[in-house]
C-alpha cells in the first residue's frame, strides 16, 4: 500500500507541475535535512526528485538494484538544500561510512554520526552521509556484504539514469511511461565520493572493495582505521588512502598501486605521494596503542580537510566498457575507471588558495530578453583574493568566460572541468552564467557581462579575456565570439559542430582576427565511429574558424588518414601530450603570419563528458594571446608558461 500510494503521489506531482525556466534558477532541491533508513529513502526519494527542473513529466522509482537490499542496515543523512535538477546532483558530496556496529534505533545511528563530526562536515559541504552496517550483525562484515556494496554504488552513481531506452525520453515507443531512478539525485553522486571504514568496516573495504577496479576507481579518497587485508588480496587501482594502524604489508600495497616516490613526515603522520601526480597519496598514522580508543572524529576531520577535499573523480572512457557485466551495465554514468583528479574545493564560499565565489541573481541585463521574457539573470563570479582586496594592480588579472553544457549547472561545469584548480594555480578570475533557456540571445548577453565584469573589477585585464565552454557551452562560446570578437583574446569551443552565423556577424571578421581552437574526443558524437577519425562533419565548424581569420580552408573532400591518422591533414604545428598519465591528447595548429590562429584538439579514449584536465588544455592554448586595446590586434607570446 505504501509503495502504491507513493507512486500515485508522484503521478499527481508530474501532472500538476510545469517546466521551470531560467528565472529564479537555484540548482537546489530546497529540502530540509533528513535522516532515514535506506528503505525509507526508496519511498521518499521518487516523490522528492520528481518536481525538480528537467524531471517534470518523468516517472521516478528507486533503483531496482536495491530491491533485495537488507533492511535496517543502512542509514542516509541528507543535508539541507542539496544540489538537484539538471546534472546539479553531481555537486553533492557523498561520504559512505562502514562501521561494524548495530544500532537499536535511528536516533542512535544519528548520534553516532554526529559524534564523529560527520553531520557538521556534510552540512558544510552539502551532500549525504551513508552509514552502512553489516547485513548480519552477529557475523560482522563478510563476503555477503560485497553484493550490497555493488547495489549501493550502482544506485548512487546512476545519475539521470532509467530503465532500458530511457535516454531523454519520457515514454517508450509504445507510449508507456519510462521509469527513472531517483536514488542518485536524492542522496548520490560521483565526483565527490569518499569512503570511511572503521575497524571491521575498514577490513571489509580492504578485502571486498579495494581490490575491484569497478569499485575502487570511483572513490575520491578513503580513510581506513584499524583495517586488515587478506594476504592474497591486492588494491585494484590507484586511490588516495589515509591508513591508521594498518599492517605494513597493507600500506605497501597502497603505496605500490599509487606509485609513490616522495615523502613528507609530520610528527607521527607520514605522507607518501607520486611527485608527478600528487593526488595519488598514501597517508599513514600509527597510534601508540592499537587496542586503545582512537579519536575517530579527529581522524575524520583531518582526512576530510587534508585529503578528501583535494581529490575528485572525473567521468572518462565509454560507459560500461570495463564495468562488470550486469543488468545495469552501461547507463550514462557507468564508467570504469573514473579518472582521479586534484580538487580545489569551495568551503564556505572560497577555496583554500583564495578563489572566492559570489552568486548573483538580478535583473541588471533584462533589457535583452527572449520572446518568452527570459534574460541573463543568474551568474557566478570566481575572484582571487587579490582582486577583492586591491592587491592586484589594475588590468593584471586574466578573465575567463565559462559556458556550461546543456543540462548542466554553471558551478558544476566550473568544478568538474578543473577550472577551480586552474584559477588557484594561475590566479585567474572567471564568470559562469546560467544560459540554459537563453541560447538565442547569447551573442547579445555575453558582451554585456564581459563589460560588467571589467567595469566592476578594475584588476581584471581587458586585453586577456577568454571564452570557452563544453557541448552546448561550446555553441555558446561560438555565439559569444559572434557577438563581439574584439572582446576576446582567444576562444575554445569544445565538443560542437557547425554553427550558422549571420552575414552581419561575419562582417566583423573583415577587420578582426581571433585565435580559436576547437576540441573533441575519440568517443564524441562528431568523430567517425568506425575509424575514430575526425571527419568532414566536424571540420565544417573548423572551416568557419579558418574563415574568421581569412585563412585557407581545409579540403574536406581529400582528407588523407593513411598519412595523417585521426586528423586527415597536415598542420603547421602538431603536438601530442599525455593527460593525467592516461589519455593521449593531440593538437594541430595553423599559422597566419607566423602566429597560431586556428587549431583542432582531440583526446583519445574519452567520451562526450566533462573532464578535469580540459581546463589545462584550454589554458595552454589561450594563455599565449592578448588583444591590443587600441588597435584590436592579437598579440602572441610563445614564451608564456
Amino acid at each position: 500500500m505504501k509503495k502504491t500510494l507513493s507512486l500515485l503521489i508522484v503521478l499527481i506531482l508530474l501532472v500538476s507541475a510545469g517546466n521551470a525556466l531560467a528565472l529564479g534558477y537555484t540548482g537546489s532541491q530546497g529540502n530540509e535535512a533528513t535522516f532515514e533508513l535506506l528503505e525509507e529513502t526508496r519511498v521518499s526519494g521518487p516523490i522528492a526528485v520528481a518536481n525538480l527542473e528537467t524531471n517534470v513529466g518523468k516517472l521516478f522509482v528507486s533503483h531496482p538494484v536495491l530491491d533485495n537490499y537488507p533492511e535496517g542496515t543502512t542509514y542516509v543523512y541528507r543535508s539541507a538544500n542539496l544540489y538537484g535538477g539538471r546534472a546539479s546532483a553531481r555537486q553533492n558530496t557523498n561520504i559512505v561510512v562502514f562501521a561494524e556496529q548495530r544500532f537499536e534505533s535511528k536516533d542512535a545511528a544519528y548520534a553516532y554520526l554526529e559524534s564523529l563530526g560527520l553531520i557538521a562536515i556534510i552540512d558544510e559541504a552539502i551532500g549525504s552521509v551513508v552509514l552502512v552496517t553489516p547485513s548480519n550483525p552477529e557475523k560482522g562484515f563478510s563476503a555477503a556484504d560485497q553484493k550490497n556494496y555493488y547495489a549501493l554504488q550502482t544506485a548512487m552513481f546512476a545519475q539521470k539514469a532509467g530503465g532500458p531506452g530511457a535516454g531523454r525520453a519520457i515514454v517508450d515507443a509504445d507510449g508507456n511511461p519510462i521509469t527513472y531512478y531517483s536514488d542518485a539525485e536524492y542522496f548520490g553522486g560521483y565526483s565527490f565520493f569518499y569512503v570511511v571504514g572503521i575497524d571491521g568496516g575498514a577490513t571489509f573495504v580492504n578485502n571486498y572493495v579495494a581490490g575491484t577496479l569497478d569499485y575502487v576507481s570511483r572513490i575520491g579518497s578513503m580513510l581506513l582505521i584499524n583495517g586488515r587485508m587478506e594476504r592474497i588480496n591486492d588494491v585494484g587501482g590507484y586511490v588516495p588512502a589515509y591508513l591508521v594502524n594498518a599492517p605494513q604489508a597493507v600500506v605497501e600495497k597502497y603505496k605500490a598501486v599509487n606509485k609513490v616516490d616522495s615523502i613528507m613526515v609530520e610528527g607521527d603522520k607520514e605522507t607518501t605521494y607520486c611527485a608527478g601526480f600528487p593526488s595519488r597519496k598514501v597517508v599513514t598514522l600509527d597510534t601508540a596503542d592499537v587496542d586503545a580508543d582512537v579519536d575517530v572524529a579527529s581522524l575524520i576531520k583531518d582526512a576530510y580537510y587534508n585529503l578528501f577535499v583535494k581529490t575528485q573523480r572525473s567521468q572518462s572512457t565509454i560507459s560500461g566498457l570495463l564495468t562488470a557485466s550486469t543488468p545495469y551495465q552501461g547507463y550514462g554514468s557507468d564508467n570504469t575507471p573514473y579518472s582521479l583528479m586534484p580538487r580545489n574545493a569551495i568551503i564556505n564560499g572560497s577555496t583554500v588558495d583564495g578563489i572566492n565565489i559570489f552568486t548573483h541573481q538580478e535583473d541588471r541585463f533584462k533589457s535583452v530578453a527572449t520572446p518568452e521574457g527570459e534574460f541573463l539573470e543568474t551568474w557566478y563570479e570566481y575572484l582571487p583574493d587579490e582582486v577583492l582586496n586591491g592587491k592586484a594592480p589594475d588590468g593584471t588579472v586574466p578573465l575567463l568566460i565559462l559556458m556550461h553544457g546543456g543540462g548542466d549547472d554553471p558551478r558544476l561545469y566550473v568544478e568538474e572541468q578543473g577550472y577551480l584548480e586552474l584559477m588557484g594555480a594561475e590566479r585567474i578570475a572567471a564568470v559562469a552564467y546560467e544560459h540554459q533557456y537563453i541560447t538565442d540571445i547569447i551573442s547579445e548577453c555575453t558582451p554585456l557581462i564581459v563589460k560588467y565584469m571589467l567595469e566592476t573589477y578594475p584588476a581584471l585585464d581587458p586585453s586577456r579575456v577568454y571564452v570557452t565552454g563544453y557541448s552546448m557551452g561550446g555553441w555558446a562560446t561560438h555565439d559569444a565570439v559572434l557577438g563581439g570578437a574584439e572582446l576576446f583574446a582567444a576562444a575554445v569551443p569544445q565538443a560542437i559542430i557547425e554553427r550558422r552565423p549571420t552575414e552581419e556577424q561575419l562582417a566583423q571578421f573583415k577587420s578582426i582576427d581571433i585565435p580559436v581552437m576547437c576540441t573533441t574526443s575519440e568517443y564524441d558524437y562528431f568523430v567517425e565511429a568506425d575509424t575514430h577519425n575526425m571527419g568532414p562533419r566536424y571540420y565544417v565548424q573548423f572551416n568557419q574558424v579558418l574563415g574568421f581569420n581569412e585563412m585557407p580552408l581545409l579540403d574536406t573532400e581529400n582528407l588523407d588518414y593513411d598519412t595523417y591518422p585521426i586528423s586527415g591533414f597536415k598542420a603547421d604545428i602538431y603536438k601530442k601530450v599525455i593527460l593525467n598519465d592516461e589519455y593521449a591528447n593531440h593538437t594541430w595548429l595553423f599559422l597566419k603570419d607566423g602566429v597560431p590562429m586556428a587549431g583542432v584538439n582531440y583526446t583519445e579514449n574519452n567520451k562526450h563528458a566533462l573532464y578535469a584536465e580540459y581546463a589545462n588544455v584550454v589554458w595552454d592554448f589561450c594563455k599565449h594571446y592578448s588583444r591590443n586595446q587600441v588597435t584590436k590586434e592579437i598579440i602572441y607570446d610563445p614564451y608564456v608558461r
Side-chain angles (χ1 to χ4, degrees):
M1 176 63 185
K2 226 174 179 183
K3 189 171 285 187
T4 303
L5 179 60
S6 68
L7 290 177
L8 178 61
I9 294 172
V10 170
L11 289 171
I12 292 171
L13 286 172
L14 297 185
V15 171
S16 63
N19 282 317
L21 294 181
L23 299 183
Y25 177 78
T26 65
S28 171
Q29 297 187 31
N31 61 290
E32 296 181 354
T34 57
F35 188 66
E36 302 166 285
L37 283 160
L38 181 65
E39 53 267 28
E40 292 174 321
T41 71
R42 304 196 70 199
V43 176
S44 55
I47 300 171
V49 306
N51 209 31
L52 298 176
E53 186 193 4
T54 72
N55 292 349
V56 174
K58 298 176 181 177
L59 178 63
F60 281 88
V61 298
S62 178
H63 202 301
V65 74
L66 297 173
D67 283 350
N68 297 312
Y69 197 96
E71 296 188 354
T73 64
T74 299
Y75 307 82
V76 177
Y77 175 79
R78 301 165 63 246
S79 72
N81 296 316
L82 287 166
Y83 295 106
R86 301 197 199 166
S88 302
R90 299 202 319 242
Q91 296 172 90
N92 291 321
T93 294
N94 302 135
I95 302 176
V96 182
V97 182
F98 294 89
E100 203 163 63
Q101 297 196 30
R102 180 175 184 175
F103 299 99
E104 297 301 324
S105 66
K106 287 198 312 186
D107 287 345
Y110 179 88
Y112 176 71
L113 291 178
E114 193 171 40
S115 72
L116 298 182
L118 283 165
I119 301 298
I121 284 174
I122 210 67
D123 281 346
E124 175 188 86
I126 304 179
S128 64
V129 178
V130 180
L131 173 60
V132 182
T133 65
S135 56
N136 186 330
E138 305 304 322
K139 293 178 62 176
F141 284 111
S142 67
D145 293 286
Q146 187 180 46
K147 178 183 70 174
N148 301 330
Y149 180 85
Y150 169 77
L152 191 62
Q153 171 186 279
T154 300
M156 292 180 71
F157 276 67
Q159 293 282 324
K160 298 298 181 184
R168 296 185 179 179
I170 296 176
V171 297
D172 63 19
D174 298 321
N176 300 312
I178 292 173
T179 55
Y180 288 77
Y181 306 143
S182 60
D183 315 87
E185 191 156 16
Y186 190 61
F187 67 88
Y190 60 71
S191 291
F192 317 132
F193 183 86
Y194 311 104
V195 165
V196 175
I198 303 169
D199 300 329
T203 299
F204 169 74
V205 172
N206 276 331
N207 285 330
Y208 295 105
V209 176
T212 302
L213 180 65
D214 190 23
Y215 302 161
V216 74
S217 75
R218 303 182 189 226
I219 298 171
S221 298
M222 54 189 185
L223 167 65
L224 303 178
I225 302 171
N226 298 335
R228 301 292 182 263
M229 181 186 287
E230 292 293 334
R231 185 171 60 85
I232 198 173
N233 286 347
D234 220 328
V235 182
Y238 49 77
V239 59
Y242 193 137
L243 308 174
V244 179
N245 297 330
Q248 191 60 34
V250 176
V251 172
E252 294 304 321
K253 291 178 181 182
Y254 280 96
K255 287 183 177 181
V257 77
N258 286 292
K259 298 181 180 179
V260 303
D261 54 20
S262 304
I263 186 170
M264 179 176 70
V265 179
E266 305 167 276
D268 295 329
K269 185 168 70 173
E270 176 185 284
T271 301
T272 55
Y273 58 95
C274 176
F277 303 92
S279 296
R280 301 181 194 173
K281 185 177 295 184
V282 179
V283 181
T284 58
L285 175 67
D286 291 328
T287 61
D289 184 353
V290 175
D291 296 322
D293 289 338
V294 176
D295 187 351
V296 177
S298 293
L299 291 171
I300 288 174
K301 183 177 181 180
D302 186 27
Y304 178 77
Y305 287 105
N306 293 308
L307 185 63
F308 290 10
V309 297
K310 297 182 179 181
T311 61
Q312 64 175 311
R313 291 285 184 173
S314 274
Q315 284 191 87
S316 53
T317 198
I318 58 175
S319 300
L321 186 64
L322 297 175
T323 50
S325 179
T326 72
Y328 311 110
Q329 179 188 28
Y331 57 77
S333 302
D334 187 30
N335 306 93
T336 295
Y338 278 73
S339 298
L340 179 68
M341 300 290 190
R343 182 185 178 197
N344 193 20
I346 294 172
I347 301 173
N348 294 324
S350 63
T351 64
V352 69
D353 54 10
I355 302 298
N356 306 275
I357 181 173
F358 298 94
T359 300
H360 288 260
Q361 195 162 78
E362 53 191 80
D363 63 2
R364 176 184 297 269
F365 305 116
K366 68 178 181 180
S367 61
V368 177
T370 69
E372 296 77 24
E374 294 285 315
F375 56 88
L376 195 173
E377 182 194 44
T378 303
W379 69 93
Y380 304 92
E381 298 171 5
Y382 298 84
L383 300 168
D385 282 343
E386 57 270 29
V387 170
L388 300 173
N389 62 24
K391 292 185 178 180
D394 288 358
T396 60
V397 177
L399 174 64
L400 284 171
I401 312 300
L402 301 175
M403 311 296 282
H404 67 83
D408 283 349
D409 178 277
R411 296 158 296 181
L412 167 76
Y413 169 65
V414 169
E415 188 148 13
E416 281 196 8
Q417 199 84 331
Y419 285 107
L420 281 172
E421 184 77 8
L422 175 70
M423 283 184 261
E426 300 292 339
R427 313 314 295 170
I428 302 169
V431 62
Y433 72 84
E434 158 55 36
H435 59 83
Q436 183 74 32
Y437 303 103
I438 57 172
T439 55
D440 292 338
I441 58 172
I442 283 173
S443 293
E444 294 90 348
C445 290
T446 310
L448 295 178
I449 201 162
V450 170
K451 292 171 184 175
Y452 156 79
M453 291 294 292
L454 295 175
E455 291 170 359
T456 305
Y457 304 105
L460 302 185
D461 184 353
S463 73
R464 291 188 294 162
V465 179
Y466 311 99
V467 60
T468 187
Y470 195 88
S471 192
M472 187 183 82
W475 276 316
T477 298
H478 192 267
D479 286 356
V481 170
L482 294 176
E486 69 175 25
L487 293 171
F488 306 106
V492 183
Q494 297 187 267
I496 63 168
I497 53 174
E498 181 181 9
R499 206 67 170 147
R500 297 183 183 275
T502 66
E503 290 300 319
E504 183 180 359
Q505 289 170 333
L506 287 173
Q508 66 184 306
F509 298 106
K510 294 177 181 178
S511 58
I512 290 288
D513 285 342
I514 182 167
V516 180
M517 182 173 72
C518 303
T519 79
T520 190
S521 53
E522 182 172 359
Y523 292 100
D524 212 333
Y525 307 132
F526 324 116
V527 172
E528 305 300 314
D530 53 344
T531 65
H532 301 266
N533 293 324
M534 292 182 290
R537 193 166 57 130
Y538 187 70
Y539 292 141
V540 171
Q541 170 69 19
F542 185 58
N543 271 338
Q544 282 190 0
V545 171
L546 291 168
F548 292 168
N549 293 300
E550 298 179 309
M551 300 167 69
L553 304 185
L554 288 179
D555 180 2
T556 58
E557 299 297 321
N558 294 290
L559 296 169
D560 182 1
Y561 294 107
D562 291 331
T563 306
Y564 308 108
I566 302 175
S567 70
F569 58 74
K570 181 181 180 180
D572 296 316
I573 298 173
Y574 166 73
K575 297 187 293 185
K576 176 183 176 181
V577 298
I578 304 298
L579 302 180
N580 198 42
D581 196 29
E582 55 189 349
Y583 299 140
N585 178 265
H586 308 263
T587 304
W588 297 266
L589 298 172
F590 290 82
L591 304 179
K592 179 180 180 180
D593 300 328
V595 174
M597 291 298 292
V600 175
N601 181 276
Y602 172 102
T603 301
E604 291 187 29
N605 295 332
N606 240 343
K607 66 173 188 175
H608 188 91
L610 301 182
Y611 179 59
E613 272 291 326
Y614 285 155
N616 292 324
V617 171
V618 168
W619 186 241
D620 284 345
F621 176 77
C622 290
K623 67 184 180 182
H624 297 284
Y625 302 95
S626 60
R627 187 179 291 279
N628 186 299
Q629 293 300 287
V630 177
T631 67
K632 301 304 179 182
E633 293 179 337
I634 290 294
I635 302 168
Y636 176 68
D637 183 353
Y639 305 109
V640 174
R641 293 190 178 184

